[in-house]
């Protein structure tokens, strides 16, 4: 009997990698998608004939109940959110509805329809914000510095609340930044690698960025989704920090990316104040020793390998676009 999994946010970066992983493990995979006038299935196009897509919305309780009844899942992975931090400043209420209250709606639906299903909540290192200790682990106090971070704290604690109050097998993965060639163009890593590819191919002459001193713990999304699955295979539900334990500045990111195409970033990067956040998170670095010790997890792709992979992918993507023009 195949295991069944429901993934919210299946069309996102993490959702597409998780769907691939679960299909490799012979799961029947259901993906929740929102009804939209323009449907973006680019990241899962290669999986379309192998996954079952269900229309539902984190803003609509009844649609979540219907999705759970239709998919009848053993495991539920909640990866859907308004996940871009700068947008949370311009749409703070919508961010709260999706990223905070949406988690409650889904947990309520699970409790009502499938209380024996195992539940994964995508928590975020943005919850630490103005960090109280370095590196950050599962016991580090939260001090979020954006509406997105605040909403994620709510989602994290409501998951713990349902675990403790109703006995749900509910876990949260506190994931630090994780990137891939499937990352959205609005995120700084992909903005840089896409910009580098365009500059190398003569399509643009400069790359505008904000704070080059901000530091992040950047890992590979393909490594991190494996950890989501591992968490739900444990007898006891628990929360885990998932991180590389290394920190790199945006300046280092830019240096590595431009060096992949033998260019000097100082000739092309300009600072634009529009890209500086109202309240910056300066230093995020995760301590994933609990996940390593209890679950035997470790990240396999290095920072340099990750950026190289993304630059190569963007070069190939843009070359294909140019050929098709």
């Amino acid at each position: 009997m195949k295991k069944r999994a429901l993934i919210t946010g299946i069309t996102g970066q993490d959702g597409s990698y998780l769907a691939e992983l679960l299909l490799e493990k012979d799961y029947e995979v259901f993906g929740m998608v929102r009804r939209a006038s323009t449907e973006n299935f680019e990241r899962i196009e290669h999986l379309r004939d192998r996954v079952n897509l269900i229309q539902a919305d984190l803003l609509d309780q009844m649609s979540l109940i219907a999705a759970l009844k239709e998919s009848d899942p053993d495991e539920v992975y909640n990866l859907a959110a308004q996940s871009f931090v700068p947008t949370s400043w311009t749409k703070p209420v919508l961010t709260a509805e999706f990223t905070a209250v949406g988690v409650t709606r889904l947990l309520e639906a699970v409790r009502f329809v499938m209380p024996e299903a195992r539940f994964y909540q995508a928590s975020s290192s943005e919850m630490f914000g103005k960090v109280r200790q370095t590196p950050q682990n599962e016991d580090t106090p939260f001090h979020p510095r954006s509406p997105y971070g605040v909403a994620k704290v709510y989602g994290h604690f409501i998951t713990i609340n349902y675990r403790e109050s109703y006995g749900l097998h509910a876990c949260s993965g506190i994931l630090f930044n994780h990137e891939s060639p499937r990352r959205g163009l609005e995120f700084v890593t992909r903005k840089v690698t896409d910009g580098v590819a365009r500059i190398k191919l003569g399509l643009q002459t400069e790359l505008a960025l904000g704070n080059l001193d901000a530091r992040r713990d950047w890992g590979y999304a393909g490594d991190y989704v494996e950890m989501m699955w591992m968490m739900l295979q444990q007898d006891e539900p628990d929360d885990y920090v998932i991180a590389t334990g290394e920190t790199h500045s945006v300046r280092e990111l830019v240096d590595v990316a431009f060096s992949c195409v033998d260019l000097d970033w100082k000739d092309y990067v300009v600072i634009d104040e529009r890209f500086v956040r109202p309240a910056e998170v300066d230093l995020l670095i995760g301590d994933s020793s609990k996940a390593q010790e209890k679950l035997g997890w470790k990240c396999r792709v290095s920072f340099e390998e990750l950026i190289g992979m993304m630059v190569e992918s963007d070069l190939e993507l843009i070359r294909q676009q140019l050929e098709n023009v």
Side-chain angles (χ1 to χ4, degrees), residues 47-242:
L47 306 173
R48 281 292 292 277
D49 60 342
R50 300 170 62 203
V51 298
N52 308 284
L53 298 181
I54 301 172
Q55 284 190 1
D57 197 313
L58 287 179
L59 303 186
D60 179 10
Q61 184 82 54
M62 293 309 294
S63 72
L64 299 177
I65 290 170
L68 284 164
K69 286 181 175 176
E70 182 177 340
S71 57
D72 190 24
D74 300 287
E75 298 169 3
V76 178
Y77 295 87
N78 184 35
L79 310 185
Q82 190 300 100
S83 60
F84 188 45
V85 175
T87 299
S88 78
W89 291 104
T90 56
K91 296 180 177 175
V93 177
L94 186 66
T95 298
E97 283 288 350
F98 273 117
T99 309
V101 184
V103 185
T104 317
R105 291 192 191 97
L106 186 55
L107 282 164
E108 270 292 276
V110 168
R111 183 170 79 91
F112 181 65
V113 180
M114 298 290 300
E116 67 283 358
R118 297 187 172 196
F119 181 88
Y120 171 85
Q121 165 62 13
S123 288
S124 167
S125 59
E126 289 286 332
M127 301 188 305
F128 295 120
K130 189 175 176 129
V131 297
R132 309 287 185 87
Q133 67 183 59
T134 300
Q136 295 89 48
N137 62 30
E138 293 81 4
D139 299 319
T140 303
F142 298 137
H143 187 147
R145 298 268 280 173
S146 67
Y148 171 77
V150 172
K152 277 293 185 184
V153 170
Y154 177 99
H156 182 78
F157 278 124
I158 200 69
T159 301
I160 292 173
N161 199 266
Y162 272 65
R163 178 169 76 216
E164 293 177 350
S165 302
Y166 300 117
L168 294 187
H169 193 294
C171 308
S172 288
I174 306 173
L175 271 60
F176 279 65
N177 293 64
H178 46 291
E179 319 297 315
S180 75
R182 298 178 197 172
R183 193 55 143 156
L185 284 165
E186 67 272 25
F187 291 87
V188 69
T189 46
R190 184 73 196 290
K191 181 180 178 183
V192 167
T193 61
D194 175 74
V196 165
R198 290 180 180 282
I199 287 168
K200 181 65 177 178
L201 296 174
L203 299 178
Q204 67 186 56
T205 56
E206 65 180 30
L207 177 60
L209 296 170
N211 179 10
L212 296 186
D213 296 317
R215 303 182 71 87
R216 293 290 184 275
D217 182 328
W218 277 301
Y220 172 51
D223 288 342
Y224 284 32
V225 298
E226 185 180 14
M227 184 61 201
M228 299 174 185
W229 175 79
M230 291 170 80
M231 287 171 63
L232 292 197
Q233 309 317 305
Q234 306 308 304
D235 292 336
E236 294 299 321
D238 205 351
D239 306 321
Y240 296 88
V241 163
I242 310 302

Side-chain angles (χ1 to χ4, degrees), residues 210-216 247-252 271 280-283:
N211 179 10
L212 296 186
D213 296 317
R215 303 182 71 87
R216 293 290 184 275
T247 180
H248 299 275
S249 66
V250 176
R251 186 176 278 102
E252 287 175 72
I271 304 303
E280 181 58 87
V281 176
D282 295 311
L283 175 60

